[in-house]
Amino acid sequence: MIDTSLKHYRIVAKVGEGGMGVVYRALDTHLDRTVAIKVLRPEAVGDAERKWRFVREAKAASALNHPHIVTIHDIDTADGVDFMVMEYLEGTPLDQLIPKTGLPLREALDYGAQIASALGAAHAAGIVHRDVKPANVMVAANGRVKVLDFGLAKLVERDAVEGAETTDSTATAATAFERTRQGAILGTIAYMSPEQALGHGVDARSDVFSLGSVLYEMLAGRRPFQGDSHLLTLTAILRDPPPPLKTVRPDVPAAVEKIVARSLEKRPEDRFPSANEMEAELLASSSGDSGSKRRQPLLSRVPVRAAAAALLLIAAASAWWFVRSSRVRRARDVTLPQVARLVEQQKYGAAVALAREAERYAPADVARMRRESWQAVSVVTDPKGAAVFVKQYADVKADWQPLGTSPVETRMPLAYYRWKLVKPGFATVEDAAPTFRGAVRLVPASEVPAGMVRISGGSFALRSLPPVALDDFWLDKYEVTNGQFKKFVDAGGYSKREYWKQPFVREGRELSWEEAQERFRDVTGRPGPASWELGSFPEGRENYPVGGVSWFEAAAYAEFAGKSLPTIYHWFKAAGIVNFSEILQFSNLSGKGPAAVGTYQGLSPEGTYDMAGNVREWCWNENAGRRYTLGGGWFDPSYVFLEPDAQDPFSRQPSYGFRCARYPTPLSDPTLTRAIGAVARDYNKETPVSDEVFRVYRSLYSYDKGPLDARVEGPEQVSQYWRKQKVSYLSADRNDRIPAFLFLPGNARPPYQTVIYFPSTVARLTRSSSDMDLRWVEFVIRSGRAVLCPIYKGMFERRTDPGDAGPRQWRDFVIQWSKELGRSIDYLETRPDIAPGKLAFYGVSLGAIDGVPLIAVEDRFQAAVLLTGGFRFGRYPPEIEPINFISRVKVPVLYISGRNDFAHPYETAQLPFFRQLGTAEKDKRHFVFEGGHIPPVIQPIIKEILDWLDRYLGPVPGAS
């Protein structure tokens, strides 16, 4: 049903399904809002009973206006399809949030109280849910609970199916199981009350029992009644008491254990009368007040009026203090752990929003969390004063989260985000960037060409080609559509020679105007794209990208529109070669055909859409008689997105389209428009320098060992997992000191195995080592190993302007980094608490690229880990080129890379890198994760790295 409509609801994506129906995310085109559509299963359409239950669900839920119950908007039928419209909930089903050890106490009690509040409202309205279970509870990022699925709800006035009672519990269970199997009673076995399992009449107390089961599971991490079969589970519900909570969760207070026990009583009359009473007890136990102690009068000799006033003041102050302190406790004990879980689940936008909520009550705790594990973010605009909004790139339907007014300084999890900058009188900017984004110049709205976005210029290096200087320019936000191209056709574009300025050269022969025009006709012989008929596009495809056009037709349209085809430099600048590959998840690479422009929400760093997939896009430049067509089409594999390709300019494949550029001033640099050959280095054909030349290169990395004058700078810092020392020692030339941080594990005994860390380019962009991202090293320390983090030249406090590093300066950096690495090892060798012969190198991104010469010339490592590196396409001085060092690396190497890494493509950069490693085959491993340059999930990476260190450094002795 995707991309179809039910009345005015456009189906966007499937969300889930259950026994009653299938749930889709949809767009309400009348109110422009996202909703959820529950569609009755096709096999149930003719089932009067199931259809009645479907309608009853809508009526039951819609009768309850409650913040913890899903809101029903509508129920209707269209084209024979019965469907229900309800609010769209962003969150996670409760059953997916409960770990085996149970939820934190306060979190479980909070969720339980919210569920009880929802059920209490239903009970007050005479409605019994009858299917209370974790899967029917949705938890939003802010901790708000919603109870779903009233498909089995009933009014208490109606009688349930009655069944004969038996005295033998096993026989009773067998009877109940048979009735359940036959459909005589309804619900989920593991959470049914005894009376529901028997098919007897049920009331609010049945929901209390089910909620007690859910609460038990939230606290214990297991259900109260479990069996190896449905029959044994039913037997336990009818006969056996649940294991006492204290035996599986010792920290549960007695008051909470009492609430759960009362909820799970076999006889309904022994339980809470309804969920309202259960909610009150949960709230009381959550606040630490059981309500059982009598309060002694505080003022016994004060006049009554004065005492009353004093009591009112005390009560008001106490109430304020209680509410405030409870919210502080919740922020610390519930919300912040939930933020951490959201980050682990890669729900970064929700984590940012929830952290902002917690910040109101626990600002110091939130600030510490951001400082220790999140990245610094700076959003600067010219002019300043723009409202800044953000949401996670992958969470397209999420609400925009406000960050403030530019300039904004904050911290966020390292991830890829969609950004929106809004300032009255200026064009709104929507683009994509990670946390380390640059400054943005806002453009007055009156200066923006219709349908175009401004692309920032500057020096730009395309793969192995020399850098070029680009001025700011404009590019179509979307690919040119059928509707736009139709205007060219209707204006006689195919007959006006002034638009066709390039000679029609094919296979070395220039065609006449008439010969060429005969090639540019649709399937019915009319002038137009090859995919059209009778001079027009298929009905309903106005907003689809035009396809089936040659390069010449694209260039002619650009002339007609007063624009140009972009050069490959301008196209790649707009597409953006970033360290995140999420755009591929939101691009039309389906193999099924084109989609209306913007449908897939693949947003580039510069604010354009559909740069990946949908249709290939013709660009200006020639390559041996062919013209470049970039970005890949709907049928192409994802890696084609940033792989330059050139095709016959007369080719009119259905997936060949284009977008246009507009340059404020004509392109004066002939380099931009000239013919371009290969833009990538073929490392399969390149060979390293000879041994004789390499010896010369290696001599540049040598240094004289001398006194270190090592110092410990300031007091040692202690955390839960390590002791942190800031140390320094003399550089190789004795003219500078090298600062470093040494992390000593708290769970192992010295002498320690040690890993020397070399960070990513982020260290070149960050001014303070206090902002060092420890996410990539913390697990190494917690494994019982020491980690040394030198502050290399050009990084953190020793930072220079990253934009100033030309090839020669970069050569000097790499050589100096090698010497500083050597001095760092010299320092470690002086410490008795560091184990000799147990040393590993660990480089991330930059450290995995320029770390190659470092580990090739340093023979004191027993192992190396290179994370998200590989050969790069730019050319550097041969003294530091990895190709000249890779075969000289002999240390065991674990190489970890992303299959969709734009900076180091798998086929052309990663595979040659691994093949040419000089390490023995048995001592090198290439682990490829599904993702881009930055791993989307770190846990598999942690396992690979720790296993590698265990293998080549040995298990950590005494680690706990």
Side-chain angles (χ1 to χ4, degrees):
M1 295 189 67
I2 309 301
D3 290 333
T4 63
S5 293
L6 294 173
K7 295 291 182 70
H8 57 280
Y9 302 103
R10 181 163 61 84
I11 306 298
V12 176
K14 182 178 176 180
V15 175
E17 58 185 304
M20 185 77 76
V22 183
V23 181
Y24 298 92
R25 186 174 78 245
L27 176 66
D28 182 344
T29 58
H30 283 182
L31 298 177
D32 194 25
R33 65 179 175 181
T34 298
V35 296
I37 298 283
K38 186 172 185 178
V39 177
L40 187 63
R41 285 185 174 278
E43 63 268 23
V45 171
D47 187 331
E49 169 67 18
R50 295 178 72 177
K51 186 170 182 178
W52 176 77
R53 282 162 44 198
F54 186 75
V55 173
R56 183 179 57 187
E57 174 183 3
K59 290 182 176 180
S62 64
L64 302 170
N65 181 15
H66 192 274
H68 297 305
I69 296 177
V70 64
T71 301
I72 303 297
H73 299 313
D74 194 8
I75 186 169
D76 207 340
T77 300
D79 300 325
V81 177
D82 296 298
F83 65 95
M84 182 193 313
V85 185
M86 55 190 131
E87 66 174 311
Y88 180 72
L89 301 176
E90 293 279 4
T92 305
L94 178 58
D95 61 337
Q96 297 180 23
L97 294 175
I98 303 175
K100 292 183 179 180
T101 56
L103 292 168
L105 177 62
R106 290 190 179 279
E107 188 172 348
L109 295 178
D110 179 57
Y111 292 165
Q114 293 185 61
I115 299 169
S117 177
L119 294 176
H123 297 162
I127 295 173
V128 181
H129 190 284
R130 294 203 298 178
D131 197 18
V132 178
K133 58 184 178 181
N136 282 341
V137 176
M138 185 71 76
V139 182
N142 62 2
R144 173 70 64 86
V145 161
K146 291 273 190 176
V147 177
L148 318 175
D149 205 344
F150 279 76
L152 303 185
K154 69 178 286 291
L155 294 175
V156 294
E157 289 80 10
R158 305 178 98 173
D159 291 332
V161 177
E162 295 291 340
E165 296 184 35
T166 68
T167 56
D168 180 77
S169 59
T170 303
T172 303
T175 303
F177 174 65
E178 181 63 21
R179 296 168 63 92
T180 303
R181 186 180 62 80
Q182 294 173 353
I185 58 175
L186 302 169
T188 303
I189 291 175
Y191 303 94
M192 283 183 181
S193 65
E195 63 270 26
Q196 187 178 2
L198 289 169
H200 293 173
V202 298
D203 57 19
R205 295 170 296 182
S206 179
D207 282 350
V208 167
F209 185 95
S210 299
L211 178 53
S213 297
V214 172
L215 185 57
Y216 187 104
E217 184 175 350
M218 285 194 290
L219 291 166
R222 50 156 290 179
R223 297 169 182 167
F225 306 104
Q226 295 186 149
D228 294 334
S229 67
H230 289 326
L231 178 58
L232 292 177
T233 299
L234 279 170
T235 299
I237 291 173
L238 296 171
R239 184 188 65 187
D240 302 334
L245 260 180
K246 282 285 188 181
T247 64
V248 290
R249 182 71 181 265
D251 65 329
V252 171
V256 175
E257 187 176 32
K258 183 178 178 182
I259 294 171
V260 175
R262 183 179 176 186
S263 303
L264 295 176
E265 290 286 354
K266 304 298 184 188
R267 300 195 315 163
E269 56 268 31
D270 293 333
R271 301 179 207 138
F272 295 102
S274 78
N276 286 318
E277 291 78 10
M278 188 175 178
E279 179 194 10
E281 289 292 324
L282 285 170
L283 291 174
S285 65
S286 176
S287 67
D289 177 15
S290 65
S292 61
K293 295 181 179 180
R294 293 185 59 189
R295 299 288 196 275
Q296 296 297 325
L298 296 176
L299 302 174
S300 59
R301 299 182 181 179
V302 181
V304 174
R305 186 174 299 176
L311 286 172
L312 284 174
L313 288 173
I314 293 172
S318 299
W320 177 89
W321 178 86
F322 172 75
V323 171
R324 178 72 184 179
S325 60
S326 64
R327 289 174 176 173
V328 171
R329 287 196 304 273
R330 174 177 169 78
R332 290 173 176 168
D333 300 341
V334 177
T335 307
L336 284 180
Q338 190 171 0
V339 170
R341 286 197 298 275
L342 288 170
V343 171
E344 290 178 0
Q345 297 166 5
Q346 304 170 64
K347 297 178 180 179
Y348 303 114
V352 171
L354 197 56
R356 288 174 60 85
E357 182 177 315
E359 193 171 24
R360 297 170 55 193
Y361 304 106
D365 299 83
V366 174
R368 182 170 58 255
M369 176 202 66
R370 286 175 169 160
R371 184 173 61 254
E372 291 178 351
S373 58
W374 288 12
Q375 291 287 318
V377 177
S378 176
V379 184
V380 179
T381 62
D382 178 20
K384 62 183 180 180
V388 179
F389 301 89
V390 68
K391 60 181 172 180
Q392 187 177 349
Y393 189 93
D395 201 357
V396 176
K397 296 299 183 180
D399 294 333
W400 288 102
Q401 298 294 328
L403 290 186
T405 303
S406 64
V408 170
E409 301 288 339
T410 185
R411 303 183 75 89
M412 295 164 55
L414 175 61
Y416 203 41
Y417 297 94
R418 296 174 188 264
W419 299 83
K420 182 164 70 172
L421 311 176
V422 181
K423 184 176 174 64
F426 292 85
T428 295
V429 174
E430 285 192 32
D431 59 15
T435 49
F436 38 89
R437 61 173 298 129
V440 178
R441 184 171 70 84
L442 304 178
V443 180
S446 60
E447 298 179 9
V448 179
M452 306 191 85
V453 295
R454 174 186 162 275
I455 312 297
S456 57
S459 179
F460 179 69
L462 176 57
R463 297 293 179 89
S464 60
L465 301 177
V468 295
L470 301 180
D471 294 327
D472 294 354
F473 64 99
W474 300 96
L475 192 70
D476 286 341
K477 186 174 184 178
Y478 303 107
E479 296 151 330
V480 173
T481 65
N482 284 316
Q484 291 170 323
F485 199 83
K486 185 69 163 59
K487 295 178 181 179
F488 168 71
V489 175
D490 292 344
Y494 278 88
S495 62
K496 295 181 179 179
R497 298 194 180 198
E498 62 266 28
Y499 299 141
W500 306 75
K501 295 186 176 181
Q502 303 305 312
F504 304 107
V505 178
R506 181 170 177 77
E507 297 178 353
R509 184 177 75 87
E510 184 172 346
L511 278 62
S512 67
W513 164 267
E514 292 75 18
E515 287 179 298
Q517 289 301 314
E518 284 300 315
R519 296 175 177 271
F520 306 142
R521 297 185 179 276
D522 66 23
V523 294
T524 59
R526 308 295 297 171
S531 57
W532 287 17
E533 294 182 8
L534 299 173
S536 188
F537 51 85
E539 185 177 354
R541 296 267 175 145
E542 180 179 12
N543 291 323
Y544 282 62
V546 64
V549 293
S550 67
W551 180 89
F552 294 100
E553 291 163 282
Y557 173 88
E559 288 288 342
F560 163 78
K563 302 177 182 178
S564 306
L565 292 181
T567 74
I568 67 170
Y569 296 102
H570 291 88
W571 191 95
F572 273 108
K573 178 64 172 67
I577 303 176
V578 296
N579 290 338
F580 296 84
S581 63
E582 277 89 336
I583 191 172
L584 298 179
Q585 302 173 33
F586 298 91
S587 298
N588 183 14
L589 298 161
S590 64
K592 298 178 181 178
V597 296
T599 299
Y600 279 76
Q601 293 295 301
L603 177 66
S604 80
E606 297 283 356
T608 53
Y609 284 85
D610 298 320
M611 299 291 280
N614 219 17
V615 293
R616 287 176 170 238
E617 299 180 17
W618 288 112
C619 290
W620 178 264
N621 304 82
E622 184 182 358
N623 180 352
R626 296 169 173 257
R627 297 283 180 165
Y628 279 98
T629 174
L630 305 179
W634 69 79
F635 64 90
D636 285 308
S638 60
Y639 67 80
V640 175
F641 169 39
L642 290 177
E643 288 295 322
D645 187 28
Q647 297 293 330
D648 178 359
F650 284 92
S651 181
R652 308 176 79 221
Q653 296 295 322
S655 62
Y656 286 9
F658 65 102
R659 74 178 74 217
C660 297
R662 177 173 290 174
Y663 308 117
T665 58
L667 300 180
S668 57
D669 184 356
T671 302
L672 299 176
T673 55
R674 65 176 172 84
I676 297 175
V679 301
R681 299 172 64 173
D682 187 349
Y683 281 102
N684 293 307
K685 296 180 179 179
E686 291 194 35
T687 56
V689 296
S690 66
D691 290 342
E692 182 180 4
V693 174
F694 181 73
R695 281 194 292 271
V696 176
Y697 293 165
R698 181 165 187 163
S699 68
L700 300 174
Y701 292 79
S702 64
Y703 66 93
D704 295 326
K705 293 190 177 182
L708 289 164
D709 188 21
R711 305 171 189 170
V712 176
E713 310 277 356
E716 184 175 82
Q717 299 179 33
V718 180
S719 81
Q720 181 180 357
Y721 302 111
W722 61 71
R723 294 178 291 120
K724 176 182 175 183
Q725 296 177 354
K726 184 175 183 181
V727 299
S728 69
Y729 33 88
L730 285 173
S731 62
D733 59 10
R734 318 291 191 272
N735 292 326
D736 197 3
R737 296 191 66 82
I738 305 169
F741 291 99
L742 180 61
F743 294 86
L744 302 173
N747 62 339
R749 299 187 304 270
Y752 305 110
Q753 298 178 11
T754 306
V755 173
I756 300 185
Y757 179 59
F758 196 110
S760 71
T761 304
V762 174
R764 295 263 299 136
L765 305 173
T766 307
R767 296 188 179 278
S768 173
S769 55
S770 62
D771 294 327
M772 182 185 298
D773 185 2
L774 297 180
R775 177 175 51 155
W776 304 106
V777 296
E778 180 184 25
F779 62 89
V780 178
I781 309 168
R782 293 177 64 176
S783 75
R785 296 176 173 92
V787 173
L788 182 70
C789 300
I791 308 302
Y792 300 93
K793 184 70 172 179
M795 302 182 187
F796 297 120
E797 289 84 0
R798 304 176 74 196
R799 177 180 182 267
T800 59
D801 188 341
D804 292 342
R808 293 185 178 181
Q809 186 180 5
W810 200 259
R811 175 196 60 196
D812 295 342
F813 270 138
V814 174
I815 293 173
Q816 183 166 355
W817 292 338
S818 175
K819 295 177 180 180
E820 294 187 352
L821 178 66
R823 294 291 283 174
S824 298
I825 299 176
D826 295 343
Y827 167 71
L828 290 175
E829 290 177 338
T830 68
R831 293 189 58 131
D833 56 350
I834 301 299
K838 298 289 184 179
L839 187 65
F841 176 87
Y842 174 28
V844 175
S845 189
L846 176 65
I849 303 167
D850 288 315
V852 171
L854 277 57
I855 60 177
V857 302
E858 177 58 68
D859 59 6
R860 288 178 284 181
F861 289 114
Q862 282 68 54
V865 176
L866 304 178
L867 174 59
T868 65
F871 286 139
R872 52 190 168 198
F873 293 108
R875 294 192 179 273
Y876 287 79
E879 305 95 303
I880 64 172
E881 275 278 22
I883 186 66
N884 292 326
F885 291 82
I886 191 75
S887 61
R888 273 89 183 189
V889 173
K890 304 300 181 183
V891 66
V893 173
L894 170 63
Y895 174 42
I896 303 175
S897 60
R899 194 176 301 279
N900 293 320
D901 190 337
F902 296 155
H904 307 283
Y906 177 75
E907 295 286 345
T908 55
Q910 296 177 28
L911 290 184
F913 183 89
F914 183 71
R915 280 197 296 264
Q916 296 187 42
L917 263 173
T919 306
E921 288 296 325
K922 67 180 181 65
D923 292 324
K924 64 180 182 179
R925 170 168 166 74
H926 186 191
F927 176 74
V928 183
F929 59 83
E930 298 302 322
H933 187 70
I934 295 178
V937 181
I938 195 172
Q939 284 74 17
I941 309 299
I942 293 174
K943 181 182 184 304
E944 287 289 330
I945 293 175
L946 295 185
D947 286 351
W948 193 258
L949 296 177
D950 285 346
R951 178 178 175 182
Y952 288 99
L953 299 186
V956 177
S960 57

